[in-house]
């Protein structure tokens, strides 16, 4: 977490496939916010060639305040594409935003049978 240059909430991710020693490019990612007792989809994206999603929260003023967020990493789609069997089809990382004027970066280290953030 670090201060954002623009003074508004920013959420990004970076995924590295530790089994290949490469960025996990083309991995589908979804950002949600918990509101009104349900998860609300804010953005669907796909990691770039460097395994990054820099565009997860843009122009979503209604959802930019403090609260509980979730990034859903659809790792099954990624591992199928590279012909690799994985134990985890989806990885959800839930986190709380307490300071809506900061940058939250959620890294994911991934392999077919484990992950860490």
């Amino acid at each position: 977490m670090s201060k954002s240059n623009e003074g508004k909430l920013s959420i990004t991710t970076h995924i590295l496939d530790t089994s290949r020693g490469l960025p996990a490019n083309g991995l589908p990612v979804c950002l949600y916010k918990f509101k009104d007792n349900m998860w609300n989809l804010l953005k669907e994206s796909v990691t770039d060639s460097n395994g990054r999603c820099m565009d997860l929260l843009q122009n979503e003023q209604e959802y930019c305040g403090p609260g509980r967020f979730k990034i859903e990493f659809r790792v099954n789609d990624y591992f199928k594409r590279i012909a690799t069997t994985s134990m985890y089809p989806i990885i959800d990382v839930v986190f709380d935003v307490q300071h809506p004027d900061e940058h939250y970066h959620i890294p994911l280290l991934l392999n077919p049978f484990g992950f860490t953030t």
Side-chain angles (χ1 to χ4, degrees), residues 68-96:
R68 183 152 294 159
F69 289 79
K70 170 175 75 170
I71 298 181
E72 177 183 271
F73 299 94
R74 296 182 182 169
V75 298
N76 190 57
D77 297 349
Y78 166 75
F79 281 121
K80 275 187 177 180
R81 187 172 47 80
I82 62 169
T84 301
T85 302
S86 172
M87 190 166 96
Y88 302 102
I90 296 172
I91 297 169
D92 286 341
V93 176
V94 178
F95 58 100
D96 289 333

Side-chain angles (χ1 to χ4, degrees), residues 12-31 45-56 71-79 81-82 89-93 105-112 114-117:
T12 59
T13 189
H14 185 203
I15 308 168
L16 298 175
D17 182 342
T18 59
S19 65
R20 299 171 63 208
L22 296 170
N25 67 322
L27 193 149
V29 174
C30 296
L31 177 68
S45 189
V46 177
T47 57
D48 64 17
S49 62
N50 291 317
R52 296 179 183 274
C53 281
M54 304 301 288
D55 62 349
L56 286 178
I71 298 181
E72 177 183 271
F73 299 94
R74 296 182 182 169
V75 298
N76 190 57
D77 297 349
Y78 166 75
F79 281 121
R81 187 172 47 80
I82 62 169
I90 296 172
I91 297 169
D92 286 341
V93 176
H105 182 74
I106 311 299
L108 183 70
L109 298 177
L110 174 67
N111 69 65
F115 62 91
T116 189
T117 183

